[in-house]
Amino acid sequence: MRSFKSLNNLVGWLVFAIAAVTYLLTLEPTASFWDCGEFIACSYKLLVPHPPGAPTFLLLGRLMSLFAFGDVTKVAVLINALSGLSSAFTVLFLFWIITRMARKLVLRHDAVANAVAAEALEPTGAQALLILSAGAVGALAFAFSDSFWFNAVEGEVYAMSALCTAAVVWIMLKWEARAHEPDSDKWLILIAYVIGLSIGVHLLNLLTLPALGFIYYYRRTANPSTKGAIIVMVVSMIIVGSIMVGIIPGLPTLAGNFEVFFVNTVDLPFNSGLLIFLVLFVGLIYFGFRQSFQQRSKLLNTAMLCFVFILIGYSSYLIVPIRSSFKPTINENAPEDVLSFVSYLKREQYGSRPLLYGPHLFSQPDHYEEGAPRYARDVKSNTYKEILPRQQEAGYPDGDKMLLPRLYNYEPDQIANYKKWVDIQDGVKPTMGQNLGFMLRYQMGHMFWRYFMWNYVGRESDIQQAGVVTPFSPAASTLPARIGESPAHNNFLALPLILGLIGLFYQSRRNSKDAWVTGLLFLMTGLAIVFYLNQPPREPRERDYTFTGATFAFAIWIGLGVLGLAELLGKVVKADGLRAGLALAAGLLIPGIMVAQGWDDHNRSDRYNSVDSAKNLLNSCAPNAILFTNGDNDTFPLWYAQEVEGVRTDVRVAVLSYLNTDWYIAQMKRRSYKSEPFPISMGADRYAQGTNDYLPFAANPAVPSVNLKEFLQLVADNNPLLQVQYQENGPGMMSFPTPNFYLPVDTAAVQKLGIIPKGREKQLVSRMEWSMGKRAIEKKNLVILDMIATNNWERPIYFSSTVAPSDYMNLQPYFQLEGMAYRLLPLKDPNYDPRSGDEGYVEKDITYQHLLKDFSYRGLQNPTIFYDENHLRFPANYRDKFARLANAYLADGNVVKAREVAVKCLELMPDKAVPYDYYSPQLVPALVAGGEQKKADDILDTMTRRSEQMLAYYSTKPDASLFEDDQRGYLLGLQSVYQAAERSGDAARSTKARGLMEQFYPR
């Protein structure tokens, strides 16, 4: 018979194989939305992603990408596979963690009787079956949990972060079993190294330290006490704080202070201070080791070794300034020297949230304080120059501050969202009860326990703010199809939760120490994160992926619940082997239900929507174009397409939000692959941070309008004519005297460029005129205006059609729709109506070629592929452009082309694969004119029926206010149906749509 050790290894690797095969089969074949495209691109070429970076992940991702052997289309799937394999190893370590804890529980009586540790005893066959069953059920339940599976199939850091968490807990339990051996501290040193490496993935791993501290304390202390437990908790939190504050940003900050002092004060060359700091630091480490030998202190020596190995792991961060110094194509924040590197590590660009004490949402600043000095390297003077003016930080009176400020975000839309959770009055300081009520109801209840229940009870749908499905929830067949038939509608019948609670009570009664360790791990990776994040009442997307550490900890109890189940069965089944077998069979039902329910919404094996949308947007642009986009989903897939697959590297992608920073503008002024530098006239000093961050409107009645080129010259000269001062003795700042701008156009030169489409020759203007409005001109707007004035129409300038209209700067009369982007041209559309919502003149020939010939729509015809709420936004954008093209042909009297475009849209994105949306009814006029009445009626009837069902459903929900965006979408869908039916002369359908709008419109 095999030993338990070999069985434990064999079954563990079998569980690993099940998890690995599952993840590899459901893996996304390309870059997903959100940060995945950025991380894959940065891994492939070791570029510099957004702060604070993830160098360990990038290095391992780079190694994985080498197995593509030059086939760039395989890079993404290989880096995604890194997440899948990381997740499978996490499941393996979890299996071994559960079997180690289960072994102590199953063999506890024998261990006491023989006065040995449970690890020293060999379990019987029935006992081994029971222990291994616990490990398999718990590990597989976690493997198929919603959030963890989501992280496992995309190229993001959270899967690898979970692996680091599982690894350090497993290593600590290995140490616990071998703590009596002379060299047992090697396991602690290994933990320190893994923690150091994990810093280069995500900081979540640090939250395991208190639980590890208690494992150490219980193993080394014969009689644990409350006082000792408090000391362990305090020391553990000090270690966590020391790493988070003292090591990660602290050491580079100290090095930066040395650098500034020795360069600016002692007049040494650049990097001298850094070298001096390193010499002193290495000397202190040597001194620490020497003291440990002289004092023969094993504790000090181990502590020093752990400190050094944390630094060795943390040294992966050296690739950030090294790669940044080579000025790569993605180089966020440009952390190429020690000072900018510190800013990068501290995530200074994202600001901060109050944690323990600070202002509430209605607090009014009564003064402003200067921020800490910031320095930048000045090559001309060979010193570090302070960046002026210093940042101004708002100061608040003590009466406007409170403990644990949970209600703090003063943005108007966030205030409205706060009111959905607590009854606050405008301008009135919240009470502590309201403050804590928001924390308990929203931050802990909605943003943690709801996510926890998704994983182990059930999930309502993929709609943001979706609730929990319990055994007592309405049957899926009674719900609207958008909810009940959604692949994301998963009902686990609460069985994982019930088994986990059985395991919690079972472990608590029989081994309270291990139960406390598991519980502390659950609290630190769950509710402690909630407290630290202090989330506002609205997030751009669900944040469940953050809390997989807590679901990991609870999975330990799910596994141990098998032991509790076996004990309950012992009252009716006496044979140990049969009882263990029945417990295993019952336990395996849970991961079986979870994988059956979760497969369809976690299977991404045929999804190409994100990358296809990126390629289609790039291919909408003319050669050597400049393309302005939003961040995140509008940009990261584009970066992937260009950096990894080499698609349209002649197009320069410019992220609008980044154009508010000097480092990004500097990068745009350099060549990138086939793309020439930005045509910007003003020097770097006029775009430096703190200079021209925004230009306020200062009305001058003597200036009815301003020439754009002359205005830019005044800004470049820092001319007093535009300077205003808002604070006494404060710095002057540039302004603009009128919202009305104009730009003379050299029409002869434009005609020679050949950029005027056939039929638009008469729309060429000699002077572009537009209003900037009276809102402040941000740095990004200034950059765009500079390019427009300097470019002289030689280089195509595009705006992505997903950019917010406020960033179009009222230039829409001069937009031309080409595929998925608007091209800026000195051609004024005589039919432009800002009330229509349709931006830009439709260039039919180009847009037809793009939409019907050039673009790729892989998978959008396949009804078996699940597209969640985020993925559906991009097909909606396609439909908008198809509808605009069809209606443009219809307006020209070309019914044949209009029908062709509308029918092709329905073929490429059928309702069964991509449900009809707001833009679908806009195809109806072309369908009706082309004789496709049945297709038109189907769109109108389907949209009306679904909207009615969903609006009626929301009208009965007590938390309907959380779904305002979704309700607004269905009302707009009815409006679109009404307009299409009216235009097509369908009085019955337009009347019904209007009646439903009046019925459900909020009053």
Side-chain angles (χ1 to χ4, degrees):
M1 181 179 176
R2 286 179 178 270
S3 67
F4 177 78
K5 181 179 179 181
S6 64
L7 285 172
N8 192 37
N9 289 335
L10 178 64
V11 177
W13 285 107
L14 177 61
V15 168
F16 165 86
I18 293 171
V21 169
T22 298
Y23 300 144
L24 294 177
L25 286 176
T26 57
L27 208 65
E28 185 142 0
T30 187
S32 306
F33 282 124
W34 300 107
D35 297 347
C36 300
E38 177 194 24
F39 278 126
I40 292 171
C42 291
S43 295
Y44 182 56
K45 293 185 177 177
L46 290 182
L47 309 176
V48 182
H50 67 271
T56 303
F57 178 88
L58 299 188
L59 287 168
L60 293 174
R62 173 59 183 159
L63 286 175
M64 286 294 291
S65 73
L66 297 178
F67 291 100
F69 299 111
D71 184 354
V72 292
T73 62
K74 296 296 188 293
V75 169
V77 74
L78 284 166
I79 295 176
N80 291 343
L82 176 63
S83 290
L85 293 174
S86 296
S87 298
F89 275 109
T90 303
V91 171
L92 174 63
F93 284 128
L94 176 59
F95 172 85
W96 285 334
I97 290 167
I98 295 172
T99 56
R100 188 167 292 277
M101 289 187 171
R103 189 174 184 179
K104 287 194 282 184
L105 292 170
V106 171
L107 301 178
R108 67 187 186 283
H109 293 308
D110 295 338
V112 172
N114 292 283
V116 295
E119 289 82 1
L121 298 173
E122 185 72 16
T124 65
Q127 289 173 330
L129 176 60
L130 193 57
I131 294 167
L132 297 173
S133 298
V137 170
L140 289 175
F142 180 63
F144 304 136
S145 61
D146 183 66
S147 303
F148 184 71
W149 196 346
F150 178 90
N151 292 338
V153 292
E154 65 178 21
E156 248 272 29
V157 299
Y158 295 101
M160 191 176 292
S161 176
L163 172 59
C164 294
T165 297
V168 295
V169 175
W170 176 76
I171 295 168
M172 195 68 193
L173 291 177
K174 291 283 285 186
W175 170 87
E176 181 190 37
R178 292 166 170 74
H180 59 281
E181 298 174 358
D183 62 347
S184 62
D185 285 355
K186 66 185 180 184
W187 297 102
L188 301 179
I189 297 167
L190 179 58
I191 288 173
Y193 179 60
V194 174
I195 287 174
L197 286 175
S198 74
I199 294 171
V201 180
H202 202 283
L203 297 181
L204 288 173
N205 186 247
L206 297 178
L207 297 173
T208 62
L209 286 174
L212 305 188
F214 274 94
I215 295 175
Y216 184 91
Y217 174 65
Y218 290 142
R219 184 65 177 84
R220 290 297 193 199
T221 307
N223 299 302
S225 64
T226 303
K227 178 182 177 181
I230 293 172
I231 293 172
V232 170
M233 194 69 192
V234 171
V235 171
S236 298
M237 295 308 296
I238 289 173
I239 294 173
V240 172
S242 298
I243 296 173
M244 287 187 67
V245 179
I247 293 180
I248 297 173
L251 290 177
T253 299
L254 193 57
N257 293 337
F258 268 69
E259 173 72 359
V260 172
F261 173 79
F262 281 99
V263 172
N264 286 7
T265 305
V266 186
D267 202 25
L268 293 178
F270 289 130
N271 297 324
S272 299
L274 179 60
L275 291 174
I276 292 170
F277 169 79
L278 290 174
V279 170
L280 290 174
F281 185 64
V282 171
L284 288 173
I285 292 175
Y286 171 77
F287 177 77
F289 277 113
R290 186 176 180 184
Q291 286 294 107
S292 71
F293 285 115
Q294 289 178 345
Q295 298 176 16
R296 305 189 67 80
S297 171
K298 182 180 178 182
L299 179 63
L300 178 59
N301 187 263
T302 302
M304 288 299 302
L305 283 169
C306 288
F307 176 66
V308 169
F309 273 84
I310 288 175
L311 293 179
I312 293 172
Y314 179 43
S315 67
S316 65
Y317 257 103
L318 290 176
I319 73 164
V320 173
I322 290 172
R323 291 294 296 144
S324 178
S325 65
F326 283 91
K327 303 190 185 314
T329 47
I330 298 177
N331 187 20
E332 298 195 45
N333 291 63
E336 58 190 28
D337 57 51
V338 66
L339 299 180
S340 54
F341 179 55
V342 169
S343 174
Y344 182 84
L345 288 173
K346 291 182 176 179
R347 296 164 50 94
E348 290 179 352
Q349 73 179 59
Y350 298 116
S352 61
R353 297 171 180 174
L355 186 59
L356 300 176
Y357 185 70
H360 57 82
L361 74 168
F362 297 123
S363 297
Q364 296 296 321
D366 62 350
H367 66 283
Y368 286 86
E369 301 168 355
E370 283 193 340
R374 297 173 300 152
Y375 296 91
R377 183 177 290 189
D378 183 20
V379 180
K380 294 180 180 178
S381 63
N382 289 321
T383 61
Y384 288 97
K385 293 286 189 181
E386 184 178 353
I387 300 172
L388 295 173
R390 293 188 181 183
Q391 289 184 334
Q392 298 294 304
E393 299 175 358
Y396 298 88
D398 291 339
D400 270 0
K401 295 180 181 179
M402 62 191 309
L403 288 171
L404 303 179
R406 306 290 104 178
L407 303 165
Y408 65 89
N409 196 309
Y410 55 83
E411 296 175 10
D413 62 325
Q414 294 289 26
I415 292 175
N417 283 303
Y418 278 123
K419 291 179 179 179
K420 296 175 183 177
W421 296 96
V422 286
D423 184 19
I424 55 175
Q425 303 298 318
D426 288 337
V428 178
K429 180 179 180 179
T431 65
M432 182 55 72
Q434 292 170 331
N435 203 41
L436 296 179
F438 177 75
M439 180 178 72
L440 293 173
R441 291 185 61 200
Y442 174 76
Q443 293 181 331
M444 292 186 176
H446 193 69
M447 298 301 285
F448 174 71
W449 288 115
R450 177 173 65 104
Y451 293 149
F452 174 77
M453 296 294 186
W454 278 5
N455 286 278
Y456 294 133
V457 177
R459 180 174 179 174
E460 187 180 47
S461 71
D462 60 292
I463 298 171
Q464 189 158 344
Q465 315 291 355
V468 176
V469 174
T470 72
F472 309 104
S473 297
S477 59
T478 65
L479 298 171
R482 179 67 181 87
I483 305 291
E485 295 179 12
S486 168
H489 184 87
N490 297 327
N491 192 345
F492 306 140
L493 305 175
L495 293 177
L497 175 67
I498 293 168
L499 189 61
L501 292 176
I502 292 172
L504 165 60
F505 291 125
Y506 184 85
Q507 189 182 37
S508 299
R509 287 176 54 198
R510 288 159 180 77
N511 190 335
S512 59
K513 294 176 184 177
D514 277 1
W516 167 244
V517 169
T518 308
L520 188 58
L521 183 63
F522 178 84
L523 290 172
M524 292 300 297
T525 56
L527 294 174
I529 295 176
V530 171
F531 181 82
Y532 178 78
L533 290 178
N534 196 9
Q535 291 168 310
R538 182 169 180 81
E539 293 278 8
R541 62 167 170 155
E542 300 286 12
R543 302 295 189 185
D544 56 299
Y545 54 83
T546 309
F547 302 108
T548 52
T551 54
F552 171 88
F554 192 81
I556 296 174
W557 284 325
I558 292 177
L560 299 181
V562 174
L563 307 185
L565 196 60
E567 184 171 281
L568 292 173
L569 290 171
K571 297 177 180 179
V572 292
V573 180
K574 301 303 179 184
D576 292 343
L578 178 59
R579 188 169 69 249
L582 290 173
L584 171 62
L588 285 177
L589 281 175
I590 288 172
I593 291 171
M594 294 175 73
V595 71
Q597 287 281 304
W599 187 279
D600 53 0
D601 55 304
H602 291 90
N603 182 9
R604 307 193 201 177
S605 58
D606 292 312
R607 273 196 202 168
Y608 293 92
N609 183 25
S610 58
V611 170
D612 280 352
S613 67
K615 293 177 180 178
N616 293 342
L617 178 56
L618 290 170
N619 287 324
S620 297
C621 301
N624 199 32
I626 295 168
L627 174 63
F628 296 110
T629 70
N630 289 326
D632 292 349
N633 287 342
D634 279 354
T635 294
F636 295 156
L638 302 178
W639 284 358
Y640 162 81
Q642 290 189 316
E643 297 292 341
V644 178
E645 297 194 21
V647 176
R648 293 302 305 276
T649 54
D650 60 304
V651 176
R652 180 65 67 93
V653 176
V655 186
L656 286 167
S657 56
Y658 291 176
L659 282 174
N660 279 326
T661 63
D662 52 2
W663 56 265
Y664 190 68
I665 296 170
Q667 291 174 25
M668 294 295 103
K669 294 175 76 171
R670 295 196 293 266
R671 185 181 178 88
S672 174
Y673 301 117
K674 298 178 182 178
S675 172
E676 297 294 332
F678 267 15
I680 297 176
S681 63
M682 283 194 278
D685 59 320
R686 306 313 301 151
Y687 288 121
Q689 219 62 29
T691 302
N692 296 326
D693 288 343
Y694 67 94
L695 282 64
F697 172 62
N700 184 345
V703 183
S705 61
V706 63
N707 184 314
L708 177 58
K709 290 189 176 183
E710 293 175 358
F711 170 76
L712 291 170
Q713 188 59 53
L714 292 172
V715 174
D717 296 339
N718 201 26
N719 195 296
L721 290 173
L722 296 183
Q723 286 190 0
V724 293
Q725 194 174 38
Y726 285 102
Q727 297 179 21
E728 188 176 350
N729 299 322
M733 57 194 308
M734 291 284 100
S735 66
F736 63 104
T738 174
N740 302 315
F741 282 68
Y742 67 88
L743 175 66
V745 177
D746 185 344
T747 56
V750 170
Q751 289 171 336
K752 288 181 181 178
L753 291 172
I755 60 175
I756 304 175
K758 185 179 179 181
R760 297 201 69 190
E761 294 84 358
K762 293 182 180 180
Q763 297 175 15
L764 178 63
V765 295
S766 59
R767 172 167 148 156
M768 288 176 61
E769 298 176 343
W770 72 98
S771 172
M772 290 293 296
K774 297 182 179 181
R775 294 175 54 189
I777 294 177
E778 297 180 54
K779 192 189 297 284
K780 63 181 179 183
N781 305 126
L782 191 63
V783 173
I784 296 170
L785 292 173
D786 191 346
M787 279 192 285
I788 292 172
T790 308
N791 184 46
N792 292 322
W793 310 106
E794 295 174 0
R795 192 168 175 184
I797 293 178
Y798 289 85
F799 288 82
S800 169
S801 58
T802 54
V803 166
S806 58
D807 284 323
Y808 292 149
M809 300 183 297
N810 294 322
L811 291 167
Q812 292 97 316
Y814 304 97
F815 280 2
Q816 176 172 284
L817 178 62
E818 299 179 9
M820 305 305 295
Y822 299 120
R823 183 172 182 175
L824 181 66
L825 289 168
L827 310 173
K828 189 167 186 178
D829 181 4
N831 300 317
Y832 174 70
D833 181 4
R835 295 170 299 177
S836 70
D838 291 336
E839 316 288 7
Y841 175 92
V842 180
E843 212 306 310
K844 293 185 288 297
D845 291 344
I846 295 176
T847 302
Y848 177 90
Q849 179 66 30
H850 286 327
L851 291 179
L852 278 74
K853 304 295 183 182
D854 300 337
F855 285 176
S856 178
Y857 305 92
R858 287 177 293 177
L860 295 184
Q861 309 83 36
N862 188 345
T864 65
I865 300 175
F866 171 59
Y867 295 107
D868 62 23
E869 192 177 43
N870 287 305
H871 279 79
L872 291 176
R873 294 190 179 109
F874 287 84
N877 200 20
Y878 292 145
R879 281 179 173 149
D880 173 39
K881 305 309 178 288
F882 271 99
R884 293 204 59 198
L885 179 60
N887 287 317
Y889 277 125
L890 199 60
D892 281 357
N894 193 338
V895 176
V896 175
K897 279 286 188 182
R899 177 193 173 279
E900 179 190 356
V901 171
V903 170
K904 187 67 173 179
C905 179
L906 296 178
E907 290 175 359
L908 291 171
M909 292 165 284
D911 177 62
K912 289 183 178 180
V914 182
Y916 295 140
D917 53 52
Y918 169 80
Y919 298 105
S920 298
Q922 296 175 19
L923 297 168
V924 165
L927 291 170
V928 171
E932 299 287 352
Q933 186 68 49
K934 187 176 179 180
K935 289 184 172 68
D937 291 347
D938 179 65
I939 292 174
L940 298 179
D941 292 341
T942 303
M943 287 282 294
T944 302
R945 183 180 68 254
R946 288 175 183 166
S947 297
E948 182 178 11
Q949 288 177 347
M950 287 301 294
L951 290 169
Y953 171 73
Y954 284 131
S955 69
T956 63
K957 284 179 70 71
D959 60 350
S961 63
L962 300 180
F963 300 91
E964 285 178 349
D965 288 347
D966 209 40
Q967 294 176 74
R968 189 179 299 113
Y970 284 107
L971 285 169
L972 288 172
L974 285 172
Q975 183 186 54
S976 185
V977 168
Y978 167 75
Q979 291 171 342
E982 279 283 295
R983 187 175 170 185
S984 303
D986 192 335
R989 288 183 171 86
S990 69
T991 301
K992 183 174 182 178
R994 181 172 182 174
L996 289 172
M997 282 192 289
E998 292 173 350
Q999 177 183 346
F1000 291 109
Y1001 192 80
R1003 302 183 187 282

